[in-house]
Amino acid sequence: MIDKLNAILALFSVEQPEWSAVEVAQALRMPRSTTYRLLSRIAEAGFLDLDAPAGRYRLGIKLASLGAVAQRSTTLQRAAHPVVRRLAAEAHETVTVMVRAGWEGVTIDAAMSVQPLMVPGLLGTRMPLHASAGGKVLLAWMSDTERRTVVRSALEMHTPHTIIDPEALGVELQRVKAQGYSTVRGEWAEGVFGAAAPIRNYARTVVGAITIGGPRARVTDERLEELVQLVIAAAAQVSAAIGFSGDQGDTRTDYAEPLRKIALA
């Protein structure tokens, strides 16, 4: 099945982005009945889109989103991995790196705390953008058009603390962008508090978020402020490693101001 899936997907290219079932069957020398069945199953999984009136298939948005994640993940994972491990060891809390895939956040690296943390956060976990620390960072630095699309959609309430009112979420995202980091207080998993900061690349584009969190029993308000400082510093390190140079060559430029505000608070 995997070989056939690979063979079918490999047919699609810039030169020929659409294929009919008959064309696929002829190109791969497969029975038409088998080809129709395979194409239908691949489309149901979201990897192909069918233009029913024309009877032609094209690559699906799900495959495109995974490709975008893969493109960003390799370099980012390599740069973030030692920082993630070091931060988890220093803070004794769970640390993750999140990138965006469509309207969700995907964890591409994680270092688990040696202390208990009963919340999903392992490699490959998908999380809602509006209810997670990393997700709120990715939302805050989206284009206005994309952000409005998410904010105005039917947002799922995961706990009583999840922000689902579009106006309230808009205000929260403005706050996140203004201060340079996000926090969560039980919005995705009850009793789990955490913080996240943006990871920027050489073009100053936010390509991911590094997050840190733990249960409310450990992450008091004072402790959360400490974690914010740690995660901002970690995000600055990862950003510098993937080419972000700040203003006038200062890798700390976009991260120093939020740290200064925390120190003065």
Side-chain angles (χ1 to χ4, degrees):
M1 177 62 184
I2 296 297
D3 290 340
K4 291 178 180 177
L5 172 63
N6 181 60
I8 290 173
L9 294 180
L11 292 174
F12 294 84
S13 65
V14 174
E15 292 75 24
Q16 188 166 347
E18 297 183 352
W19 289 74
S20 70
V22 172
E23 290 171 339
V24 172
Q26 291 173 343
L28 299 181
R29 298 182 179 179
M30 291 195 306
R32 290 191 182 184
S33 59
T34 301
T35 304
Y36 277 106
R37 185 174 66 254
L38 286 173
L39 289 171
S40 177
R41 291 176 64 182
I42 295 170
E44 286 175 2
F47 295 115
L48 291 177
D49 286 335
L50 171 63
D51 181 349
R56 301 187 71 78
Y57 291 86
R58 62 177 66 90
L59 294 179
I61 189 64
K62 183 175 182 180
L63 192 62
S65 70
L66 290 175
V69 171
Q71 271 190 321
R72 290 178 298 191
S73 297
T74 304
T75 300
L76 183 53
Q77 281 177 310
R78 191 161 49 241
H81 189 73
V83 178
V84 166
R85 294 296 181 275
R86 187 165 57 248
L87 179 55
E90 177 184 351
H92 305 293
E93 300 295 354
T94 294
V95 179
T96 67
V97 174
M98 177 185 287
V99 298
R100 177 185 160 201
W103 306 122
E104 294 180 300
V106 177
T107 301
I108 63 167
D109 198 6
M112 298 300 292
S113 167
V114 294
Q115 304 182 77
L117 176 57
M118 300 305 292
V119 60
L122 295 176
L123 203 61
T125 297
R126 289 178 175 263
M127 301 182 73
L129 295 176
H130 70 289
S132 56
K136 287 199 289 186
V137 163
L138 298 176
L139 265 178
W141 273 274
M142 272 186 194
S143 69
D144 292 341
T145 300
E146 289 180 313
R147 185 169 55 253
R148 280 195 294 269
T149 299
V150 177
V151 171
R152 292 175 181 175
S153 63
L155 301 174
E156 184 178 353
M157 177 171 280
H158 298 277
T159 77
H161 309 289
T162 307
I163 304 173
I164 60 172
D165 176 70
E167 185 174 345
L169 182 58
V171 171
E172 169 70 359
L173 295 177
Q174 288 178 355
R175 181 184 67 82
V176 168
K177 194 167 185 180
Q179 67 187 13
Y181 63 89
S182 72
T183 58
V184 287
R185 292 174 167 83
E187 295 161 43
W188 162 238
E190 189 74 51
V192 174
F193 283 33
I199 299 170
R200 296 174 172 87
N201 66 5
Y202 65 93
R204 306 184 64 81
T205 301
V206 172
V207 294
I210 187 164
T211 77
I212 186 169
R216 183 69 177 97
R218 292 199 305 267
V219 185
T220 61
D221 289 340
E222 182 179 347
R223 173 64 169 157
L224 185 57
E225 290 185 12
E226 180 186 343
L227 295 184
V228 165
Q229 296 187 53
L230 291 173
V231 82
I232 290 173
Q237 290 179 331
V238 177
S239 296
I242 61 172
F244 175 73
S245 60
D247 291 331
Q248 299 178 351
D250 183 357
T251 59
R252 300 168 301 170
T253 299
D254 286 59
Y255 300 93
E257 182 59 18
L259 285 172
R260 188 185 70 82
K261 289 178 179 178
I262 294 169
L264 292 175

